[in-house]
Amino acid sequence: MADPIALSPAELTRRGAAFSRAWRMKEAYADLTAALRLAPDDPELRYQIGRHHMRNGHVEMALIVFHDLRRRAPGYRDVAARFETCLGRLRFPPPFDISADLIAVLETGQIDDLQAARIITQVLTSRHGIAADMGLDDARIATITSNRLFRLYLRTCRNIDPAIEAVMLRLRRRAAGLEPGPALPAGLLADLAIGFANDDYVVDWPTDEAAVADRLRTALTGAEAVVPGAAPGLVMTLALYEAPPVAAVAQIRSAAADDEGIAAFIARFHDEPLALAAEPVEMLGRAETATTDAVSARVRSQYETAPYPRWRGVVKNITDFPDTLARALPAQPDVLIAGCGTGRHPANWASATTCRSLLAIDLSRNSLAYAAVKMRELGLADRIRFARADILDLPALLPPASFDLIEAVGVLHHMADPFRGWQVLRDLLRPGGWMRIGLYSRTARRHITRARAWLADRNWGKTPADIRRFRRELVAGRLDPALDPLKDITDIHNLHHLRDLLFHEQELTFTPGMIRDHLDRLGLTFAGFSTGRPEILHTYRHRFPEDPTATDLDRWAAFEADHPDAFLGMYQFWCYDPQGGAVRI
């Protein structure tokens, strides 16, 4: 290898970037830092250093680089989008204040609101002083009311922070008239109500607050019972405990003229429920199919009751994933997303890819209605077709070999026989086609499996009240200490997420060996994991340099034994039909 000193900055940059793409990280870092000493102001060099940090999983370092590059070279390449991508993936705040940046992406929706909650709460608690024991006198409430980041967080994210939850609960008691002090400003009350709704009312309430909620519910039953002058306060206070009657929300529309919080409240509790109820959802086929699978029926019922998850906006995914997949597929592929839920995956596909056809199916009518409404809001409705169907019914509804790419993430492990469902999808794949599959890891889900068994042994119910009671007892430390690891999982801060985590109607888990066996039976080739955490792949390559493609599932099993939380979300991986001559990514 040539001496770095003998090469020009441009040559060092090109070679360093190539090393980085090849996961030769030490050599990449040596070349890029040598180039930086020679050309500290070169924007392309700094851009490649930022990309190198992203590949390594060093999101915080990448953010600093792209933040600086935005200042040095405004509009350079896709720096702004990469900065926003890093912003949503931060694990801890950088040394400079990013409040304004977070506000900007929350306002535009260019952030994964489900993922970004972690960094936003850290900024709110560390830089803005939001704390469980903070005083709530008039001056402090005025400060909170004017804190735009806090208000937008309540309005657009689900809360995952106990300290912020404690503040929300104290504000709720103030709004209910159970703590002394003046009434909360209407805009703050509106955003607070949306915040509790974003958590799907997972936090229960003591007896005195239950009595307040009962009185408000009685007062607002039927539009004729609403007193117009008192309606805004009554309606928004009830919304701190449950979704208020749509007819009652309609009567406070005039109050929204000058307050974006109240306008957002009306959109959430009036406009959205009406839109979801009226949304026509297509059946794949001319009529309701006669599926007799009992598990499918139970899973469908769960998601009709609790569509999951709510989401806002589409993030332009900026990744350094190899482009082998793009080269292998047609320029305009036919894509099937099986088990699309509320539409986050289809939204990402529709916003980032030009498809000849994009079909997204799901069991749940209510989930599909939410997906369709969100697509229309984002201007993506003409790029996708939603339809209700059971995977098991697809052979009677679609011709074989219909799709170039099929995605089934977080779906198969909720079926009675995942292999049967996977086989159905395999038969719909064209020769040389690709699949993206997501399955729960048996190792990573060990705490959840233990908790599910604990709940089953006690015949714990699955109603919202049962789930809230479990959460209350867990957070208070009154359950088996073996369940304590669950406290660190953000899903416990949302009712529907918690239901999906521990109270799901059907859940199976997998191992790398089981994945390999299924792939062999289906005649598919494993092409690599897509974890969303580059540091995992980097650590794997460092341990197993003899597997440069990172596609040896036996070695991945050994890796996961030493890193049991590597696939906490789930295994997500690519595979393909080798008949098309595809190569591994």
Side-chain angles (χ1 to χ4, degrees):
M1 188 174 71
D3 183 352
I5 298 178
L7 299 177
S8 70
E11 291 170 326
L12 286 167
T13 300
R14 285 194 295 271
R15 193 174 73 174
F19 280 145
S20 183
R21 288 193 298 271
W23 292 91
R24 296 169 62 177
M25 295 305 185
K26 290 183 179 179
E27 295 151 301
Y29 186 73
D31 276 0
L32 293 172
T33 53
L36 189 63
R37 288 192 295 270
L38 297 172
D41 297 322
D42 182 359
E44 180 61 20
L45 169 59
R46 290 181 175 272
Y47 177 79
Q48 293 300 337
I49 290 173
R51 294 188 68 177
H52 174 72
H53 289 319
M54 288 184 76
R55 288 192 189 97
N56 257 326
H58 300 154
V59 181
E60 290 75 20
M61 296 174 67
L63 180 103
I64 292 172
V65 171
F66 292 130
H67 177 270
D68 182 61
L69 191 51
R70 285 197 313 172
R71 178 183 58 83
R72 290 171 177 265
Y76 188 74
R77 295 186 62 165
D78 59 354
V79 167
R82 289 186 178 274
F83 176 81
E84 291 175 357
T85 297
C86 292
L87 197 65
R89 297 178 182 173
L90 290 175
R91 290 158 295 190
F92 48 84
F96 49 86
D97 187 10
I98 56 173
S99 298
D101 299 301
L102 291 171
I103 289 170
V105 293
L106 286 174
E107 288 178 332
T108 60
Q110 295 301 309
I111 196 168
D112 184 337
D113 49 291
L114 301 177
Q115 185 175 351
R118 187 180 303 277
I119 189 62
I120 295 173
T121 56
Q122 290 187 59
V123 171
L124 285 172
T125 55
S126 64
R127 183 170 288 274
H128 294 257
I130 305 294
D133 59 351
M134 63 185 290
L136 287 181
D137 56 22
D138 293 354
R140 189 56 175 156
I141 287 178
T143 301
I144 290 175
T145 301
S146 63
N147 188 318
R148 184 153 185 78
L149 181 59
F150 180 67
R151 296 280 298 274
L152 285 171
Y153 175 71
L154 292 176
R155 196 180 304 163
T156 61
C157 297
R158 62 182 180 94
N159 178 51
I160 61 169
D161 186 86
I164 292 178
E165 180 180 302
V167 173
M168 292 172 65
L169 292 175
R170 293 173 62 203
L171 289 172
R172 187 173 73 180
R173 289 188 64 80
R174 170 73 69 87
L178 298 172
E179 287 192 1
L184 299 183
L188 176 60
L189 182 60
D191 286 336
L192 186 63
I194 296 173
F196 280 110
N198 286 345
D199 297 333
D200 292 311
Y201 300 105
V202 71
V203 184
D204 59 3
W205 44 86
T207 303
D208 57 351
E209 290 189 64
V212 171
D214 288 342
R215 289 197 300 271
L216 292 168
R217 189 183 308 111
T218 300
L220 296 176
T221 299
E224 69 281 358
V226 177
V227 180
L234 292 175
V235 174
M236 289 189 288
T237 304
L238 178 61
L240 301 174
Y241 300 96
E242 61 186 48
V246 172
V249 181
Q251 299 211 11
I252 68 171
R253 184 175 293 277
S254 61
D258 300 318
D259 192 292
E260 64 178 23
I262 300 178
F265 179 94
I266 292 171
R268 175 61 183 276
F269 293 104
H270 179 272
D271 301 345
E272 183 178 289
L274 292 181
L276 292 175
E279 183 65 33
V281 173
E282 174 188 352
M283 290 297 306
L284 192 61
R286 295 186 177 181
E288 182 82 32
T289 52
T291 293
T292 58
D293 185 83
V295 170
S296 290
R298 293 203 309 271
V299 171
R300 174 188 294 176
S301 177
Q302 173 178 328
Y303 288 117
E304 295 292 15
T305 303
Y308 161 89
R310 292 184 58 88
W311 55 276
R312 175 182 181 269
V314 175
V315 181
K316 186 176 181 180
N317 287 322
I318 300 295
T319 68
D320 290 289
F321 202 71
D323 60 356
T324 308
L325 173 60
R327 293 198 303 267
L329 291 176
Q332 292 188 319
D334 293 308
V335 177
L336 169 66
I337 300 179
C340 68
T342 53
R344 288 183 69 206
H345 288 298
N348 289 332
W349 269 103
S351 64
T353 312
T354 301
C355 301
R356 187 172 72 169
S357 69
L358 178 54
L359 171 63
I361 65 166
D362 199 82
L363 285 168
S364 165
R365 184 264 169 215
N366 289 338
S367 294
L368 290 167
Y370 185 91
V373 168
K374 295 302 292 184
M375 290 296 176
R376 196 156 45 252
E377 289 177 1
L378 296 167
L380 299 172
D382 60 341
R383 302 188 188 183
I384 189 165
R385 175 190 176 194
F386 289 105
R388 183 176 169 188
D390 187 335
I391 288 174
L392 297 177
D393 296 328
L394 293 181
L397 301 171
L398 296 169
S402 294
F403 299 97
D404 302 294
L405 189 146
I406 297 174
E407 177 179 296
V409 174
V411 180
L412 298 175
H413 51 226
H414 292 317
M415 301 183 72
D417 183 352
F419 181 80
R420 181 185 172 199
W422 199 348
Q423 179 69 69
V424 169
L425 298 177
R426 170 71 173 95
D427 292 342
L428 294 172
L429 193 67
R430 288 176 179 146
W434 286 69
M435 303 184 84
R436 182 170 180 251
I437 303 295
L439 300 168
Y440 283 146
S441 160
R442 181 163 298 173
T443 299
R445 300 280 289 188
R446 62 198 182 280
H447 301 307
I448 293 151
T449 301
R450 183 186 303 120
R452 286 173 61 87
W454 187 92
L455 289 163
D457 288 344
R458 286 153 183 80
N459 198 28
W460 202 288
K462 296 183 178 182
T463 68
D466 294 324
I467 297 172
R468 292 187 185 103
R469 178 167 61 90
F470 173 82
R471 181 186 189 269
R472 180 185 67 230
E473 298 300 300
L474 175 70
V475 171
R478 292 192 287 264
L479 300 180
D480 188 335
L483 302 181
D484 284 349
L486 297 175
K487 297 177 184 178
D488 296 326
I489 300 177
T490 58
D491 283 341
I492 73 165
H493 298 288
N494 178 282
L495 185 71
H496 294 346
H497 288 239
L498 181 52
R499 183 196 302 274
D500 206 77
L501 180 75
L502 296 179
F503 297 86
H504 204 286
E505 293 294 335
Q506 170 75 0
E507 177 177 310
L508 298 172
T509 57
F510 291 77
T511 66
M514 293 170 67
I515 292 173
R516 181 196 58 231
D517 293 344
H518 279 43
L519 290 170
D520 288 345
R521 291 171 64 191
L522 292 165
L524 295 170
T525 299
F526 181 69
F529 286 113
S530 175
T531 67
R533 295 170 59 192
E535 67 273 15
I536 291 177
L537 187 57
H538 178 58
T539 304
Y540 175 89
R541 291 179 187 273
H542 181 74
R543 178 173 176 185
F544 296 111
E546 67 274 20
D547 180 24
T549 60
T551 53
D552 187 322
L553 284 166
D554 289 332
R555 288 186 169 90
W556 273 111
F559 177 86
E560 189 178 23
D562 293 336
H563 301 85
D565 294 332
F567 296 98
L568 259 181
M570 66 181 75
Y571 300 120
Q572 293 193 43
F573 58 91
W574 294 97
C575 54
Y576 63 88
D577 173 16
Q579 292 185 46
V583 295
R584 290 177 175 175
I585 57 178

